[in-house]
């Protein structure tokens, strides 16, 4: 499957230099400019995988299955299969509406339909960056790859669609959520894949690294294969927003090249993706996003 986002008009394409300067300046006021809630929808700390609850039991079971199945060979196969772009064709908003039927089993902070999360993220970042149209759009589409859970998109199991992402083809880092379950992964004891660099080399660049298969990978392929002109910062958000081992622990930085480091230094999306889950959605915002989608002639294309 592939998602096509056609070219943005020149006036709203982001200049990379200005992106990083603006983001770095904005980071200085994020504490005051972005209200970080103290607890998630269940009254617990965000991304707390140790609290005892029925929800957490399900989340841990999800990661047990995920960590067993996400191998280098599996990811390679899925990238080939879903690069065919042979599922369906629809507008971005039609795809958003499909997520009314999707709940993310890996998320300890939210058990609501995913369309709510898309709007929460987009509205939160729009508030702080009102003039960055590309950023609003990126936030709106960042999780659209979760349609992989639906029958018309392959009906993949949750472990193959959601959850934190991580490199395959090299050693699994201890900072990955529930990393203990990697011991059952076939790659764990494979000398070709279990060293620090595995099949990669230092500074090779994240573009050359296979990430565990899921909605991030899929949505990136969709955009890239259809020639999107979202700036590289936007594509980085789509592709790596679930790469928490990097964002939170600095794991795998040795694989990054200079371009990766430059974009990561201005990466401001994470707090909008995570902490907006406790906010309410303004239903009156829908016309803005529909208008934005129409104005930039954006399309979700999964050709049949």
């Amino acid at each position: 499957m592939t998602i096509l986002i056609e070219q943005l008009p020149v006036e709203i394409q982001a200049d990379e230099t200005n992106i990083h300067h603006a983001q770095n300046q904005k980071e200085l006021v994020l504490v005051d400019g972005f209200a970080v809630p103290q607890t998630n929808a269940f009254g617990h700390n965000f991304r707390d995988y140790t609290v005892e609850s029925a929800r957490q039991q399900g989340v841990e079971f999800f990661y047990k299955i995920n960590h067993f199945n996400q191998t280098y060979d599996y990811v390679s196969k899925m990238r080939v299969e879903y690069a065919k772009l042979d599922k369906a064709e629809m507008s971005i908003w039609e795809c958003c509406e499909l997520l009314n039927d999707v709940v993310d089993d890996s998320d300890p902070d939210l058990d609501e339909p995913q369309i709510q999360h898309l709007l929460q993220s987009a509205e939160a970042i729009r508030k702080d960056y009102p003039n960055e149209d590309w950023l609003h759009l990126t936030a709106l589409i960042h999780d659209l790859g979760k349609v992989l859970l639906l029958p018309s998109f392959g009906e993949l199991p949750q472990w193959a669609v959601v959850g934190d992402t991580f490199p395959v083809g090299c050693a699994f880092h201890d900072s990955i959520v529930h990393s203990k379950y990697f011991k059952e992964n076939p790659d764990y004891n494979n000398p070709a894949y279990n060293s620090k660099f595995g099949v990669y080399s230092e500074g090779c660049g994240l573009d050359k690294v296979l990430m565990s298969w899921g909605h991030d990978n899929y949505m990136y392929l969709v955009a890239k294969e259809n020639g999107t002109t979202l700036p590289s910062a936007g594509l980085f958000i789509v592709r790596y927003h679930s790469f928490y081992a990097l964002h939170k622990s600095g794991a795998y930085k040795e694989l990054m090249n200079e371009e990766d480091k430059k974009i990561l230094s201005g990466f401001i999306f994470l707090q909008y993706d995570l902490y907006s889950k406790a906010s309410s959605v303004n239903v009156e915002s829908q016309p803005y996003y529909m208008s934005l989608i129409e104005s930039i002639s954006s399309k979700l294309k999964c050709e049949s």
Side-chain angles (χ1 to χ4, degrees), residues 181-244:
Y181 292 119
F182 282 120
K183 293 180 180 179
E184 302 301 321
N185 186 298
D187 291 353
Y188 186 82
N189 292 311
N190 187 332
Y193 302 136
N194 66 3
S195 64
K196 180 177 182 179
F197 293 109
V199 299
Y200 311 114
S201 60
E202 185 172 6
C204 64
L206 294 180
D207 187 58
K208 292 184 171 60
V209 175
L210 282 185
M211 300 294 293
S212 54
W213 179 254
H215 69 280
D216 316 59
N217 239 322
Y218 170 65
M219 188 63 201
Y220 170 76
L221 283 177
V222 164
K224 182 174 180 289
E225 295 300 318
N226 283 278
T228 179
T229 55
L230 278 175
S232 57
L235 288 175
F236 194 94
I237 288 171
V238 171
R239 193 176 191 182
Y240 301 114
H241 67 270
S242 300
F243 192 4
Y244 273 85

Side-chain angles (χ1 to χ4, degrees), residues 8 56 65 71 74-75 87 109 147 160-161 185 192 218 223 242 255 274 288 290 296:
L8 297 168
Q56 286 292 359
I65 304 302
T71 65
Y74 173 75
V75 173
K87 301 301 179 183
D109 302 317
V147 295
V161 179
N185 186 298
Y218 170 65
S242 300
L255 298 176
L274 178 58
Y288 167 76
M290 295 184 73
I296 63 176

Side-chain angles (χ1 to χ4, degrees), residues 42-143:
F42 304 101
H44 304 140
N45 293 330
F46 284 89
R47 288 183 60 83
D48 184 347
Y49 294 92
T50 62
V51 65
E52 295 185 7
S53 69
R55 178 71 178 172
Q56 286 292 359
Q57 290 174 6
V59 170
E60 181 168 353
F61 180 75
F62 161 86
Y63 276 108
K64 180 178 181 179
I65 304 302
N66 171 277
H67 291 351
F68 174 78
N69 286 289
Q70 292 279 0
T71 65
Y72 186 85
D73 288 346
Y74 173 75
V75 173
S76 300
K77 180 183 72 172
M78 297 304 283
R79 282 177 63 87
V80 171
E81 172 63 25
Y82 279 92
K84 296 176 183 177
L85 320 184
D86 61 354
K87 301 301 179 183
E89 182 173 339
M90 64 190 66
S91 70
I92 286 179
W93 189 257
E94 287 173 332
C95 190
C96 289
E97 290 182 325
L98 290 179
L99 294 189
N100 270 317
D101 298 322
V102 171
V103 173
D104 185 338
D105 286 352
S106 73
D107 193 340
D109 302 317
L110 186 71
D111 62 354
E112 299 290 338
Q114 286 295 292
I115 189 172
Q116 176 172 322
H117 172 54
L118 298 183
L119 290 170
Q120 286 171 329
S121 301
E123 281 292 273
I125 209 164
R126 178 185 168 199
K127 180 180 179 181
D128 284 353
Y129 296 87
N131 298 319
E132 300 289 356
D133 303 60
W134 68 272
L135 198 49
H136 309 164
L137 179 64
T138 301
L140 184 70
I141 71 170
H142 79 280
D143 271 351

Side-chain angles (χ1 to χ4, degrees), residues 139-159:
L140 184 70
I141 71 170
H142 79 280
D143 271 351
L144 283 188
K146 291 178 181 178
V147 295
L148 291 173
L149 294 166
L150 302 175
S152 57
F153 290 83
E155 201 168 13
L156 297 183
Q158 290 260 345
W159 63 260

